Amino acid sequence: MHADRHQWLNAAVSAAATAADFIAQEARTHRAIQWEAKSATDFVSHVDLGAEERIRDTLLARIPGLRIVGEELSNDGNPEDGLVAIVDPLDGTTNFLHGFPNYCVSICMALNGVPQAAVIHDVARGGVYTATAGAGAFVDGQRMHVSTIAEPARALIGTGFPFRDVSYAERYLAMMRRLMPATAGMRRAGSAALDLTDVANGRFDAFWELWLNPWDFAAGMLLVREAGGRVTDLEGREARLLGGTIVASNGTLHDWFLDILNDRLG
Ligand code: IPD
Ligand code: CA
Ligand code: CA
């Protein structure tokens, strides 16, 4: 493996583990946690902030001067410029606050818009998902591969609801309506980063969400690609590290998935 990527991955894995330990500790008393609403359906607590502080401190101790684009504390500029850590300190905040065991820490190290190393640490169930560019994707050190399912009728699809901007609702519901009879089922588990580990690990055959921020999907995007899958926008262009619609799949189903999402199947 490229020496820098190795160093970046190690730093990210160590930062994610430190944050995951803190989140797991706080989860024991989650009912006592005070939350604030960033918007009507978007919450934050001292746990998101404390996790990001720990990630920032660990990363900067290992890579002095590193720029961090983090959700809560340090949204420091363009995620496609230079070397940057793209950080979601707690993906699945609403799940965490309710004690629903599906939340994680997500960190992607990217260089000039190209993901280089990524980690998603599943806090509640355990599992450390890692990838480096060109060297594959792993869970707890075991190689991961996307599914081989080619028949839409057998596909399990992950998704996220457009809960922050209900102006997307009609378009989104029309997509669901088309997918419902065409697939084996749909799941909305509440953490986009973990949804992408599910695609990378072959549990989901595809996933889409109409609007995601870079920290929701950057690490998961590298995992899916390194596990053999595809990640694009709704038009089928390779996804970049800017926010937007994310369509991920095992690759085999990708063209069909884009067609049904875009209502091209008649
Ligand atoms: C959210 C989760 C959720 C997705 C949202 C994200 P957060 O992140 O990933 O599954 O539907 O779009 O914003 O707020 O829990 O970090
Ligand atoms: Ca998130
Ligand atoms: Ca978050």
Side-chain angles (χ1 to χ4, degrees), residues 193-238:
L194 287 176
D195 292 333
L196 290 165
T197 68
D198 287 329
V199 176
N201 211 5
R203 295 182 285 243
F204 284 160
D205 307 296
F207 162 84
W208 96 107
E209 184 156 345
L210 288 186
W211 177 266
L212 286 173
N213 282 302
W215 45 81
D216 298 315
F217 69 86
M221 175 166 88
L222 185 61
L223 286 166
V224 170
R225 287 178 176 160
E226 288 297 327
R230 276 190 75 188
V231 186
T232 69
D233 63 16
L234 201 52
E235 281 71 47
R237 293 180 294 241
E238 295 309 309

mmCIF file of all heavy atoms in Angstrom, residues 193-238:
data_model
loop_
_atom_site.group_PDB
_atom_site.id
_atom_site.type_symbol
_atom_site.label_atom_id
_atom_site.label_comp_id
_atom_site.label_asym_id
_atom_site.label_seq_id
_atom_site.Cartn_x
_atom_site.Cartn_y
_atom_site.Cartn_z
ATOM 1 N N ALA A 193 -24.057 6.304 6.323
ATOM 2 C CA ALA A 193 -22.726 5.686 6.280
ATOM 3 C C ALA A 193 -22.847 4.169 6.463
ATOM 4 O O ALA A 193 -22.218 3.391 5.725
ATOM 5 C CB ALA A 193 -21.832 6.304 7.349
ATOM 6 N N LEU A 194 -23.667 3.745 7.434
ATOM 7 C CA LEU A 194 -23.839 2.297 7.620
ATOM 8 C C LEU A 194 -24.595 1.677 6.450
ATOM 9 O O LEU A 194 -24.331 0.524 6.079
ATOM 10 C CB LEU A 194 -24.535 1.995 8.953
ATOM 11 C CG LEU A 194 -23.658 2.212 10.196
ATOM 12 C CD1 LEU A 194 -24.467 1.982 11.475
ATOM 13 C CD2 LEU A 194 -22.419 1.306 10.185
ATOM 14 N N ASP A 195 -25.537 2.417 5.855
ATOM 15 C CA ASP A 195 -26.211 1.898 4.656
ATOM 16 C C ASP A 195 -25.172 1.555 3.586
ATOM 17 O O ASP A 195 -25.284 0.542 2.889
ATOM 18 C CB ASP A 195 -27.182 2.934 4.075
ATOM 19 C CG ASP A 195 -28.387 3.207 4.976
ATOM 20 O OD1 ASP A 195 -28.773 2.311 5.751
ATOM 21 O OD2 ASP A 195 -28.938 4.323 4.897
ATOM 22 N N LEU A 196 -24.166 2.413 3.458
ATOM 23 C CA LEU A 196 -23.142 2.164 2.425
ATOM 24 C C LEU A 196 -22.246 0.985 2.810
ATOM 25 O O LEU A 196 -21.809 0.237 1.932
ATOM 26 C CB LEU A 196 -22.346 3.442 2.149
ATOM 27 C CG LEU A 196 -23.185 4.504 1.422
ATOM 28 C CD1 LEU A 196 -22.504 5.875 1.476
ATOM 29 C CD2 LEU A 196 -23.449 4.117 -0.045
ATOM 30 N N THR A 197 -22.006 0.770 4.114
ATOM 31 C CA THR A 197 -21.274 -0.461 4.488
ATOM 32 C C THR A 197 -22.116 -1.681 4.130
ATOM 33 O O THR A 197 -21.571 -2.730 3.798
ATOM 34 C CB THR A 197 -20.911 -0.534 5.996
ATOM 35 O OG1 THR A 197 -22.084 -0.682 6.781
ATOM 36 C CG2 THR A 197 -20.126 0.683 6.462
ATOM 37 N N ASP A 198 -23.435 -1.540 4.208
ATOM 38 C CA ASP A 198 -24.302 -2.663 3.854
ATOM 39 C C ASP A 198 -24.228 -2.978 2.358
ATOM 40 O O ASP A 198 -24.306 -4.142 1.963
ATOM 41 C CB ASP A 198 -25.751 -2.375 4.274
ATOM 42 C CG ASP A 198 -25.941 -2.460 5.785
ATOM 43 O OD1 ASP A 198 -25.230 -3.252 6.430
ATOM 44 O OD2 ASP A 198 -26.799 -1.732 6.312
ATOM 45 N N VAL A 199 -24.085 -1.936 1.533
ATOM 46 C CA VAL A 199 -23.885 -2.195 0.094
ATOM 47 C C VAL A 199 -22.509 -2.844 -0.119
ATOM 48 O O VAL A 199 -22.378 -3.852 -0.823
ATOM 49 C CB VAL A 199 -23.996 -0.895 -0.739
ATOM 50 C CG1 VAL A 199 -23.691 -1.168 -2.213
ATOM 51 C CG2 VAL A 199 -25.397 -0.278 -0.603
ATOM 52 N N ALA A 200 -21.489 -2.290 0.545
ATOM 53 C CA ALA A 200 -20.129 -2.822 0.359
ATOM 54 C C ALA A 200 -20.041 -4.277 0.797
ATOM 55 O O ALA A 200 -19.313 -5.082 0.204
ATOM 56 C CB ALA A 200 -19.131 -1.966 1.139
ATOM 57 N N ASN A 201 -20.796 -4.621 1.823
ATOM 58 C CA ASN A 201 -20.706 -5.965 2.393
ATOM 59 C C ASN A 201 -21.734 -6.927 1.787
ATOM 60 O O ASN A 201 -21.873 -8.053 2.247
ATOM 61 C CB ASN A 201 -20.911 -5.871 3.909
ATOM 62 C CG ASN A 201 -20.150 -6.941 4.653
ATOM 63 O OD1 ASN A 201 -19.399 -7.702 4.053
ATOM 64 N ND2 ASN A 201 -20.350 -7.021 5.948
ATOM 65 N N GLY A 202 -22.488 -6.458 0.800
ATOM 66 C CA GLY A 202 -23.425 -7.341 0.093
ATOM 67 C C GLY A 202 -24.736 -7.593 0.807
ATOM 68 O O GLY A 202 -25.501 -8.464 0.401
ATOM 69 N N ARG A 203 -25.042 -6.819 1.856
ATOM 70 C CA ARG A 203 -26.333 -7.006 2.541
ATOM 71 C C ARG A 203 -27.426 -6.228 1.824
ATOM 72 O O ARG A 203 -28.558 -6.695 1.706
ATOM 73 C CB ARG A 203 -26.218 -6.568 4.004
ATOM 74 C CG ARG A 203 -25.262 -7.446 4.803
ATOM 75 C CD ARG A 203 -25.203 -7.029 6.253
ATOM 76 N NE ARG A 203 -24.447 -5.812 6.430
ATOM 77 C CZ ARG A 203 -23.302 -5.721 7.131
ATOM 78 N NH1 ARG A 203 -22.803 -6.793 7.731
ATOM 79 N NH2 ARG A 203 -22.675 -4.582 7.257
ATOM 80 N N PHE A 204 -27.111 -5.033 1.371
ATOM 81 C CA PHE A 204 -27.979 -4.293 0.453
ATOM 82 C C PHE A 204 -27.402 -4.459 -0.949
ATOM 83 O O PHE A 204 -26.174 -4.506 -1.125
ATOM 84 C CB PHE A 204 -27.970 -2.794 0.760
ATOM 85 C CG PHE A 204 -28.767 -2.374 1.961
ATOM 86 C CD1 PHE A 204 -28.494 -1.142 2.570
ATOM 87 C CD2 PHE A 204 -29.798 -3.149 2.486
ATOM 88 C CE1 PHE A 204 -29.220 -0.712 3.679
ATOM 89 C CE2 PHE A 204 -30.527 -2.725 3.592
ATOM 90 C CZ PHE A 204 -30.227 -1.501 4.191
ATOM 91 N N ASP A 205 -28.300 -4.488 -1.936
ATOM 92 C CA ASP A 205 -27.845 -4.578 -3.328
ATOM 93 C C ASP A 205 -27.754 -3.192 -3.963
ATOM 94 O O ASP A 205 -27.076 -3.011 -4.971
ATOM 95 C CB ASP A 205 -28.798 -5.502 -4.098
ATOM 96 C CG ASP A 205 -28.908 -6.831 -3.360
ATOM 97 O OD1 ASP A 205 -27.879 -7.521 -3.268
ATOM 98 O OD2 ASP A 205 -29.988 -7.132 -2.797
ATOM 99 N N ALA A 206 -28.467 -2.238 -3.358
ATOM 100 C CA ALA A 206 -28.397 -0.856 -3.830
ATOM 101 C C ALA A 206 -28.887 0.059 -2.714
ATOM 102 O O ALA A 206 -29.541 -0.382 -1.760
ATOM 103 C CB ALA A 206 -29.250 -0.670 -5.078
ATOM 104 N N PHE A 207 -28.570 1.341 -2.857
ATOM 105 C CA PHE A 207 -28.967 2.365 -1.873
ATOM 106 C C PHE A 207 -29.095 3.681 -2.607
ATOM 107 O O PHE A 207 -28.316 3.966 -3.522
ATOM 108 C CB PHE A 207 -27.877 2.494 -0.790
ATOM 109 C CG PHE A 207 -27.968 3.777 -0.003
ATOM 110 C CD1 PHE A 207 -28.828 3.882 1.084
ATOM 111 C CD2 PHE A 207 -27.203 4.892 -0.352
ATOM 112 C CE1 PHE A 207 -28.918 5.077 1.803
ATOM 113 C CE2 PHE A 207 -27.296 6.089 0.356
ATOM 114 C CZ PHE A 207 -28.159 6.172 1.442
ATOM 115 N N TRP A 208 -30.070 4.504 -2.201
ATOM 116 C CA TRP A 208 -30.073 5.889 -2.713
ATOM 117 C C TRP A 208 -30.637 6.833 -1.670
ATOM 118 O O TRP A 208 -31.415 6.456 -0.813
ATOM 119 C CB TRP A 208 -30.853 5.984 -4.028
ATOM 120 C CG TRP A 208 -32.290 6.412 -3.933
ATOM 121 C CD1 TRP A 208 -32.816 7.613 -4.288
ATOM 122 C CD2 TRP A 208 -33.413 5.623 -3.470
ATOM 123 N NE1 TRP A 208 -34.177 7.630 -4.080
ATOM 124 C CE2 TRP A 208 -34.562 6.432 -3.581
ATOM 125 C CE3 TRP A 208 -33.551 4.333 -2.966
ATOM 126 C CZ2 TRP A 208 -35.841 5.984 -3.208
ATOM 127 C CZ3 TRP A 208 -34.811 3.883 -2.579
ATOM 128 C CH2 TRP A 208 -35.925 4.713 -2.718
ATOM 129 N N GLU A 209 -30.170 8.074 -1.752
ATOM 130 C CA GLU A 209 -30.740 9.144 -0.914
ATOM 131 C C GLU A 209 -30.632 10.431 -1.717
ATOM 132 O O GLU A 209 -29.620 10.693 -2.376
ATOM 133 C CB GLU A 209 -30.013 9.235 0.436
ATOM 134 C CG GLU A 209 -30.657 10.263 1.359
ATOM 135 C CD GLU A 209 -30.419 10.046 2.859
ATOM 136 O OE1 GLU A 209 -29.990 8.949 3.259
ATOM 137 O OE2 GLU A 209 -30.673 11.000 3.621
ATOM 138 N N LEU A 210 -31.691 11.253 -1.658
ATOM 139 C CA LEU A 210 -31.756 12.414 -2.556
ATOM 140 C C LEU A 210 -30.828 13.552 -2.173
ATOM 141 O O LEU A 210 -30.432 14.336 -3.026
ATOM 142 C CB LEU A 210 -33.195 12.928 -2.657
ATOM 143 C CG LEU A 210 -34.146 12.039 -3.448
ATOM 144 C CD1 LEU A 210 -35.502 12.713 -3.598
ATOM 145 C CD2 LEU A 210 -33.590 11.677 -4.817
ATOM 146 N N TRP A 211 -30.505 13.688 -0.887
ATOM 147 C CA TRP A 211 -29.525 14.723 -0.549
ATOM 148 C C TRP A 211 -28.671 14.240 0.619
ATOM 149 O O TRP A 211 -29.196 13.939 1.695
ATOM 150 C CB TRP A 211 -30.181 16.057 -0.180
ATOM 151 C CG TRP A 211 -29.107 17.012 0.225
ATOM 152 C CD1 TRP A 211 -28.665 17.260 1.504
ATOM 153 C CD2 TRP A 211 -28.256 17.782 -0.636
ATOM 154 N NE1 TRP A 211 -27.594 18.131 1.477
ATOM 155 C CE2 TRP A 211 -27.323 18.477 0.179
ATOM 156 C CE3 TRP A 211 -28.186 17.951 -2.024
ATOM 157 C CZ2 TRP A 211 -26.347 19.320 -0.337
ATOM 158 C CZ3 TRP A 211 -27.209 18.800 -2.540
ATOM 159 C CH2 TRP A 211 -26.316 19.473 -1.708
ATOM 160 N N LEU A 212 -27.384 14.167 0.387
ATOM 161 C CA LEU A 212 -26.451 13.834 1.474
ATOM 162 C C LEU A 212 -25.328 14.856 1.477
ATOM 163 O O LEU A 212 -24.935 15.376 0.428
ATOM 164 C CB LEU A 212 -25.868 12.432 1.279
ATOM 165 C CG LEU A 212 -26.817 11.263 1.571
ATOM 166 C CD1 LEU A 212 -26.176 9.938 1.172
ATOM 167 C CD2 LEU A 212 -27.255 11.224 3.034
ATOM 168 N N ASN A 213 -24.790 15.126 2.662
ATOM 169 C CA ASN A 213 -23.599 15.957 2.793
ATOM 170 C C ASN A 213 -22.354 15.083 2.612
ATOM 171 O O ASN A 213 -22.414 13.869 2.810
ATOM 172 C CB ASN A 213 -23.585 16.610 4.180
ATOM 173 C CG ASN A 213 -24.533 17.792 4.242
ATOM 174 O OD1 ASN A 213 -24.401 18.746 3.468
ATOM 175 N ND2 ASN A 213 -25.507 17.724 5.127
ATOM 176 N N PRO A 214 -21.211 15.717 2.277
ATOM 177 C CA PRO A 214 -19.993 14.927 2.033
ATOM 178 C C PRO A 214 -19.659 13.978 3.181
ATOM 179 O O PRO A 214 -19.244 12.840 2.945
ATOM 180 C CB PRO A 214 -18.899 15.991 1.876
ATOM 181 C CG PRO A 214 -19.608 17.247 1.490
ATOM 182 C CD PRO A 214 -21.005 17.162 2.033
ATOM 183 N N TRP A 215 -19.835 14.426 4.434
ATOM 184 C CA TRP A 215 -19.460 13.566 5.574
ATOM 185 C C TRP A 215 -20.384 12.368 5.732
ATOM 186 O O TRP A 215 -20.012 11.396 6.366
ATOM 187 C CB TRP A 215 -19.408 14.379 6.878
ATOM 188 C CG TRP A 215 -20.573 15.306 7.057
ATOM 189 C CD1 TRP A 215 -21.809 14.978 7.506
ATOM 190 C CD2 TRP A 215 -20.596 16.717 6.781
ATOM 191 N NE1 TRP A 215 -22.612 16.086 7.518
ATOM 192 C CE2 TRP A 215 -21.882 17.174 7.091
ATOM 193 C CE3 TRP A 215 -19.632 17.624 6.309
ATOM 194 C CZ2 TRP A 215 -22.260 18.502 6.934
ATOM 195 C CZ3 TRP A 215 -20.010 18.945 6.165
ATOM 196 C CH2 TRP A 215 -21.310 19.373 6.477
ATOM 197 N N ASP A 216 -21.596 12.415 5.155
ATOM 198 C CA ASP A 216 -22.497 11.257 5.253
ATOM 199 C C ASP A 216 -22.028 10.100 4.363
ATOM 200 O O ASP A 216 -22.304 8.944 4.663
ATOM 201 C CB ASP A 216 -23.920 11.620 4.792
ATOM 202 C CG ASP A 216 -24.566 12.701 5.629
ATOM 203 O OD1 ASP A 216 -24.468 12.630 6.862
ATOM 204 O OD2 ASP A 216 -25.187 13.617 5.041
ATOM 205 N N PHE A 217 -21.385 10.433 3.230
ATOM 206 C CA PHE A 217 -21.156 9.364 2.258
ATOM 207 C C PHE A 217 -19.704 9.177 1.810
ATOM 208 O O PHE A 217 -19.390 8.192 1.134
ATOM 209 C CB PHE A 217 -22.028 9.578 1.006
ATOM 210 C CG PHE A 217 -21.624 10.752 0.162
ATOM 211 C CD1 PHE A 217 -20.637 10.619 -0.805
ATOM 212 C CD2 PHE A 217 -22.222 11.994 0.322
ATOM 213 C CE1 PHE A 217 -20.251 11.696 -1.592
ATOM 214 C CE2 PHE A 217 -21.843 13.081 -0.448
ATOM 215 C CZ PHE A 217 -20.858 12.929 -1.415
ATOM 216 N N ALA A 218 -18.783 10.129 2.161
ATOM 217 C CA ALA A 218 -17.433 10.066 1.573
ATOM 218 C C ALA A 218 -16.739 8.736 1.885
ATOM 219 O O ALA A 218 -16.226 8.058 0.983
ATOM 220 C CB ALA A 218 -16.590 11.240 2.082
ATOM 221 N N ALA A 219 -16.732 8.335 3.153
ATOM 222 C CA ALA A 219 -16.058 7.083 3.522
ATOM 223 C C ALA A 219 -16.787 5.888 2.906
ATOM 224 O O ALA A 219 -16.154 4.981 2.333
ATOM 225 C CB ALA A 219 -15.996 6.948 5.046
ATOM 226 N N GLY A 220 -18.111 5.901 2.980
ATOM 227 C CA GLY A 220 -18.899 4.784 2.434
ATOM 228 C C GLY A 220 -18.722 4.632 0.937
ATOM 229 O O GLY A 220 -18.722 3.520 0.399
ATOM 230 N N MET A 221 -18.540 5.764 0.264
ATOM 231 C CA MET A 221 -18.338 5.718 -1.193
ATOM 232 C C MET A 221 -17.065 4.940 -1.537
ATOM 233 O O MET A 221 -17.059 4.089 -2.433
ATOM 234 C CB MET A 221 -18.259 7.146 -1.721
ATOM 235 C CG MET A 221 -17.949 7.269 -3.171
ATOM 236 S SD MET A 221 -18.287 8.943 -3.741
ATOM 237 C CE MET A 221 -16.742 9.739 -3.423
ATOM 238 N N LEU A 222 -15.974 5.208 -0.800
ATOM 239 C CA LEU A 222 -14.734 4.466 -1.077
ATOM 240 C C LEU A 222 -14.914 2.981 -0.743
ATOM 241 O O LEU A 222 -14.470 2.109 -1.498
ATOM 242 C CB LEU A 222 -13.555 5.060 -0.291
ATOM 243 C CG LEU A 222 -12.197 4.420 -0.606
ATOM 244 C CD1 LEU A 222 -11.809 4.591 -2.075
ATOM 245 C CD2 LEU A 222 -11.087 4.987 0.282
ATOM 246 N N LEU A 223 -15.613 2.689 0.359
ATOM 247 C CA LEU A 223 -15.849 1.279 0.719
ATOM 248 C C LEU A 223 -16.596 0.547 -0.395
ATOM 249 O O LEU A 223 -16.221 -0.561 -0.778
ATOM 250 C CB LEU A 223 -16.677 1.195 2.004
ATOM 251 C CG LEU A 223 -15.963 1.529 3.309
ATOM 252 C CD1 LEU A 223 -16.969 1.731 4.428
ATOM 253 C CD2 LEU A 223 -14.993 0.414 3.686
ATOM 254 N N VAL A 224 -17.660 1.169 -0.898
ATOM 255 C CA VAL A 224 -18.466 0.505 -1.939
ATOM 256 C C VAL A 224 -17.630 0.297 -3.197
ATOM 257 O O VAL A 224 -17.618 -0.798 -3.778
ATOM 258 C CB VAL A 224 -19.737 1.324 -2.257
ATOM 259 C CG1 VAL A 224 -20.446 0.765 -3.500
ATOM 260 C CG2 VAL A 224 -20.682 1.338 -1.068
ATOM 261 N N ARG A 225 -16.899 1.333 -3.605
ATOM 262 C CA ARG A 225 -16.105 1.198 -4.836
ATOM 263 C C ARG A 225 -15.029 0.131 -4.663
ATOM 264 O O ARG A 225 -14.802 -0.685 -5.566
ATOM 265 C CB ARG A 225 -15.484 2.538 -5.211
ATOM 266 C CG ARG A 225 -16.539 3.501 -5.760
ATOM 267 C CD ARG A 225 -15.935 4.849 -6.083
ATOM 268 N NE ARG A 225 -16.925 5.730 -6.704
ATOM 269 C CZ ARG A 225 -16.812 7.051 -6.753
ATOM 270 N NH1 ARG A 225 -15.754 7.655 -6.208
ATOM 271 N NH2 ARG A 225 -17.739 7.777 -7.345
ATOM 272 N N GLU A 226 -14.375 0.118 -3.517
ATOM 273 C CA GLU A 226 -13.295 -0.856 -3.299
ATOM 274 C C GLU A 226 -13.839 -2.274 -3.104
ATOM 275 O O GLU A 226 -13.102 -3.244 -3.234
ATOM 276 C CB GLU A 226 -12.433 -0.439 -2.109
ATOM 277 C CG GLU A 226 -11.550 0.764 -2.407
ATOM 278 C CD GLU A 226 -10.527 0.480 -3.510
ATOM 279 O OE1 GLU A 226 -10.063 -0.662 -3.603
ATOM 280 O OE2 GLU A 226 -10.212 1.409 -4.289
ATOM 281 N N ALA A 227 -15.133 -2.376 -2.791
ATOM 282 C CA ALA A 227 -15.754 -3.706 -2.677
ATOM 283 C C ALA A 227 -16.326 -4.156 -4.018
ATOM 284 O O ALA A 227 -16.970 -5.203 -4.098
ATOM 285 C CB ALA A 227 -16.844 -3.675 -1.612
ATOM 286 N N GLY A 228 -16.141 -3.337 -5.061
ATOM 287 C CA GLY A 228 -16.565 -3.750 -6.406
ATOM 288 C C GLY A 228 -17.850 -3.108 -6.888
ATOM 289 O O GLY A 228 -18.346 -3.459 -7.965
ATOM 290 N N GLY A 229 -18.412 -2.169 -6.116
ATOM 291 C CA GLY A 229 -19.677 -1.553 -6.503
ATOM 292 C C GLY A 229 -19.489 -0.201 -7.171
ATOM 293 O O GLY A 229 -18.362 0.225 -7.446
ATOM 294 N N ARG A 230 -20.623 0.471 -7.446
ATOM 295 C CA ARG A 230 -20.593 1.798 -8.084
ATOM 296 C C ARG A 230 -21.306 2.821 -7.228
ATOM 297 O O ARG A 230 -22.299 2.498 -6.561
ATOM 298 C CB ARG A 230 -21.300 1.748 -9.442
ATOM 299 C CG ARG A 230 -20.411 1.272 -10.554
ATOM 300 C CD ARG A 230 -21.100 1.496 -11.882
ATOM 301 N NE ARG A 230 -21.095 2.918 -12.272
ATOM 302 C CZ ARG A 230 -21.763 3.389 -13.318
ATOM 303 N NH1 ARG A 230 -22.497 2.581 -14.048
ATOM 304 N NH2 ARG A 230 -21.697 4.667 -13.617
ATOM 305 N N VAL A 231 -20.833 4.068 -7.303
ATOM 306 C CA VAL A 231 -21.479 5.179 -6.595
ATOM 307 C C VAL A 231 -21.529 6.361 -7.554
ATOM 308 O O VAL A 231 -20.486 6.852 -8.005
ATOM 309 C CB VAL A 231 -20.709 5.577 -5.315
ATOM 310 C CG1 VAL A 231 -21.492 6.620 -4.534
ATOM 311 C CG2 VAL A 231 -20.432 4.360 -4.429
ATOM 312 N N THR A 232 -22.741 6.795 -7.871
ATOM 313 C CA THR A 232 -22.912 7.882 -8.847
ATOM 314 C C THR A 232 -23.928 8.895 -8.316
ATOM 315 O O THR A 232 -24.503 8.715 -7.244
ATOM 316 C CB THR A 232 -23.445 7.354 -10.200
ATOM 317 O OG1 THR A 232 -24.798 6.924 -10.036
ATOM 318 C CG2 THR A 232 -22.604 6.207 -10.741
ATOM 319 N N ASP A 233 -24.153 9.917 -9.121
ATOM 320 C CA ASP A 233 -25.304 10.779 -8.861
ATOM 321 C C ASP A 233 -26.507 10.203 -9.626
ATOM 322 O O ASP A 233 -26.415 9.121 -10.226
ATOM 323 C CB ASP A 233 -24.989 12.243 -9.228
ATOM 324 C CG ASP A 233 -24.683 12.430 -10.715
ATOM 325 O OD1 ASP A 233 -24.993 11.523 -11.520
ATOM 326 O OD2 ASP A 233 -24.143 13.498 -11.064
ATOM 327 N N LEU A 234 -27.600 10.931 -9.640
ATOM 328 C CA LEU A 234 -28.822 10.416 -10.259
ATOM 329 C C LEU A 234 -28.712 10.337 -11.782
ATOM 330 O O LEU A 234 -29.455 9.613 -12.442
ATOM 331 C CB LEU A 234 -29.996 11.316 -9.849
ATOM 332 C CG LEU A 234 -31.405 10.778 -9.924
ATOM 333 C CD1 LEU A 234 -31.553 9.447 -9.202
ATOM 334 C CD2 LEU A 234 -32.373 11.801 -9.307
ATOM 335 N N GLU A 235 -27.758 11.096 -12.338
ATOM 336 C CA GLU A 235 -27.550 11.075 -13.794
ATOM 337 C C GLU A 235 -26.565 9.982 -14.192
ATOM 338 O O GLU A 235 -26.303 9.794 -15.381
ATOM 339 C CB GLU A 235 -27.019 12.429 -14.275
ATOM 340 C CG GLU A 235 -28.093 13.512 -14.404
ATOM 341 C CD GLU A 235 -28.590 13.976 -13.047
ATOM 342 O OE1 GLU A 235 -27.739 14.252 -12.170
ATOM 343 O OE2 GLU A 235 -29.821 14.029 -12.848
ATOM 344 N N GLY A 236 -25.967 9.312 -13.231
ATOM 345 C CA GLY A 236 -25.022 8.242 -13.543
ATOM 346 C C GLY A 236 -23.577 8.715 -13.627
ATOM 347 O O GLY A 236 -22.686 7.944 -13.988
ATOM 348 N N ARG A 237 -23.325 9.988 -13.271
ATOM 349 C CA ARG A 237 -21.926 10.467 -13.224
ATOM 350 C C ARG A 237 -21.294 9.992 -11.920
ATOM 351 O O ARG A 237 -21.961 10.002 -10.873
ATOM 352 C CB ARG A 237 -21.890 12.001 -13.255
ATOM 353 C CG ARG A 237 -22.358 12.585 -14.570
ATOM 354 C CD ARG A 237 -22.289 14.105 -14.482
ATOM 355 N NE ARG A 237 -23.264 14.582 -13.501
ATOM 356 C CZ ARG A 237 -24.281 15.403 -13.778
ATOM 357 N NH1 ARG A 237 -24.443 15.874 -15.004
ATOM 358 N NH2 ARG A 237 -25.121 15.778 -12.839
ATOM 359 N N GLU A 238 -20.027 9.606 -11.979
ATOM 360 C CA GLU A 238 -19.339 9.145 -10.771
ATOM 361 C C GLU A 238 -19.497 10.211 -9.686
ATOM 362 O O GLU A 238 -19.262 11.401 -9.940
ATOM 363 C CB GLU A 238 -17.852 8.894 -11.052
ATOM 364 C CG GLU A 238 -17.598 7.749 -12.039
ATOM 365 C CD GLU A 238 -18.325 6.450 -11.673
ATOM 366 O OE1 GLU A 238 -18.202 6.004 -10.525
ATOM 367 O OE2 GLU A 238 -19.031 5.887 -12.540
#
